[in-house]
Amino acid sequence: METIQVVWTFFKIGIIAFGGGWSTVGIIKNAVVPHWVDEESFRSLIAIAQSTPGPIALNAATMVGWYHGGLLTALLATLSVVTFPICMIAFTVFMANRVQVNQKHLNTALRTGSLAMMLMTLWVLRPASADPLLLFFAIATFYIGAFTKINSLWAILGAGFINALFGPVIRSLWQG
């Protein structure tokens, strides 16, 4: 019975978390904590899932399945999390030449959804005590991604670069 519950949970995650990436972490957490893992184990699960090859949702499904039912549950959970995305890709390929899509509206919709999911992940993984400089970078990066034509990736990389170069100096000025 637990195998069916794990498979169903990760099938639903696969529907919602289509596209993968860090934006899915909040969705995965809401589905598995506290039912399948506790808060501390979830953070470990995400660290391991991120450090292994493949999407976070796929790796999380495999690990939770393995922990709660062994090889068969891990295999079924892994397949369940990719079933909907594979079906949607096949459907999209089938419909691609039959429907005209406004690329600008599609990009706007996808960007908005991605930003909302990234904010959810930020909220889920927030530390107990936030670093004000990192909070500033997060807000600035969100603003750049949401309200300018600058690619979010460049904003994230820029924030990381600035933090690596000047973060220690700025923090020492605040504390000094």
Side-chain angles (χ1 to χ4, degrees), residues 25-26 29 39 42-43 119-126:
V25 172
K29 181 182 180 197
E39 185 75 34
F42 177 76
R43 291 183 185 275
L119 281 174
M120 182 179 177
T121 299
L122 178 65
W123 180 256
V124 165
L125 295 178
R126 70 190 181 281

Side-chain angles (χ1 to χ4, degrees), residues 69-176:
L71 180 62
L72 179 62
T73 304
L75 179 64
L76 292 174
T78 301
L79 292 174
S80 72
V81 83
V82 297
T83 298
F84 182 80
I86 288 172
C87 291
M88 287 309 299
I89 290 169
F91 178 73
T92 302
V93 168
F94 175 75
M95 294 299 292
N97 294 328
R98 293 168 178 77
V99 177
Q100 294 297 323
V101 177
N102 182 324
Q103 286 293 334
K104 183 179 179 184
H105 290 141
L106 178 63
N107 287 338
T108 301
L110 292 174
R111 188 180 203 183
T112 303
S114 294
L115 286 170
M117 291 175 71
M118 284 188 268
L119 281 174
M120 182 179 177
T121 299
L122 178 65
W123 180 256
V124 165
L125 295 178
R126 70 190 181 281
S129 61
D131 179 345
L133 184 61
L134 294 182
L135 183 59
F136 169 77
F137 283 135
I139 292 169
T141 301
F142 173 77
Y143 179 84
I144 290 169
F147 302 111
T148 70
K149 293 185 181 202
I150 298 172
N151 188 318
S152 297
L153 176 63
W154 293 116
I156 293 167
L157 290 174
F161 183 74
I162 292 168
N163 185 44
L165 287 180
F166 303 111
V169 174
I170 295 170
R171 285 181 188 88
S172 68
L173 291 174
W174 282 342
Q175 295 170 354

Side-chain angles (χ1 to χ4, degrees), residues 30-67:
N30 288 339
V32 302
V33 174
H35 186 69
W36 302 110
V37 296
D38 61 22
E39 185 75 34
E40 185 176 333
S41 297
F42 177 76
R43 291 183 185 275
S44 297
L45 181 141
I46 293 301
I48 293 168
Q50 182 60 28
S51 64
T52 56
I56 293 172
L58 185 69
N59 293 337
T62 305
M63 287 187 281
V64 170
W66 180 266
Y67 183 74

